[in-house]
Amino acid sequence: MEPTIYFAHETAVIDEGCEIGGGTKIWHFSHLMTGCKVGRDCNIGQNVVISPDVVLGNGVKIQNNVSVYTGVSCEDDVFLGPGCVFTNVINPRSAVSRKHEFMPTKVCKGASVGANATVLCGHVIGEYAMIGAGAVVTKDVPAYALVLGNPARQAGWVSVYGHRLDFDEAGIAVCPESKEAYFLKDGVVCKK
């Protein structure tokens, strides 16, 4: 069996027991902790922490200064913007251990979390959703939804390519870049 080849900068720390897919790049001062799983062709920016048992799919891009804590999973092609934040406990206290209370957070395929956004634990960010810079996510985000603000509120819909979708009276929108059609029915968006 051929060994998995990935790149890690000399200042990166990779604990024993990590699984890292081929083609992945791990940059300056990042730390991958025991038991995390990182897919193929990921890019882990500078000063990133991937905690134990975190699972990252293929093609995940994590920008600088992000901590991905235990309980978070990211499917393929997720983008995590610089300085975005995940939590894993609802009511943290320094003097009270709540490691047994970690709540899962799932970021679905192709979703993007903007710079300095905060995602509170226990929620699902749907496929291709886009979390605006600085937003604070306090509930589940539907697939293809664009959410902004604190607390994050839905401000529209986006395509797989990240463009706003303007639905007509029939509930049809076309991505200006890919020309793919999308349908909106009963608050749910899907591709044709």
Side-chain angles (χ1 to χ4, degrees):
M1 186 165 124
E2 191 175 311
T4 300
I5 298 173
Y6 62 87
F7 167 81
H9 188 271
E10 64 184 22
T11 61
V13 175
I14 300 171
D15 293 347
E16 286 188 39
C18 296
E19 292 180 28
I20 303 169
T24 289
K25 293 182 171 104
I26 303 160
W27 294 101
H28 306 69
F29 311 110
S30 289
H31 184 184
L32 277 65
M33 300 175 79
T34 301
C36 70
K37 296 179 183 177
V38 178
R40 295 182 318 277
D41 301 316
C42 293
N43 191 53
I44 310 297
Q46 194 171 282
N47 195 37
V48 170
V49 174
I50 309 295
S51 292
D53 304 319
V54 165
V55 177
L56 304 177
N58 299 320
V60 172
K61 290 185 173 54
I62 303 178
Q63 301 302 302
N64 298 344
N65 304 310
V66 175
S67 294
V68 185
Y69 293 120
T70 300
V72 176
S73 64
C74 297
E75 293 182 346
D76 294 350
D77 303 319
V78 163
F79 175 87
L80 302 180
C84 73
V85 175
F86 291 92
T87 69
N88 59 8
V89 173
I90 290 293
N91 56 344
R93 293 290 194 201
S94 177
V96 180
S97 176
R98 293 209 162 103
K99 290 182 179 180
H100 62 284
E101 296 178 21
F102 287 171
M103 296 180 70
T105 298
K106 182 178 181 181
V107 185
C108 295
K109 180 177 175 55
S112 293
V113 179
N116 296 312
T118 299
V119 179
L120 299 185
C121 58
H123 300 295
V124 174
I125 297 173
E127 289 188 351
Y128 302 103
M130 185 170 288
I131 312 303
V136 178
V137 175
T138 60
K139 60 185 178 181
D140 290 353
V141 176
Y144 302 100
L146 168 64
V147 299
L148 307 169
N150 179 6
R153 297 192 193 310
Q154 188 167 349
W157 302 98
V158 293
S159 70
V160 168
Y161 282 69
H163 294 284
R164 276 191 185 246
L165 294 172
D166 295 315
F167 289 93
D168 62 20
E169 291 177 6
I172 299 171
V174 175
C175 173
E177 185 173 353
S178 70
K179 308 302 183 204
E180 294 174 311
Y182 293 79
F183 298 95
L184 173 62
K185 184 174 181 184
D186 300 324
V188 176
V189 170
C190 59
K191 274 194 342 182
K192 181 175 182 181

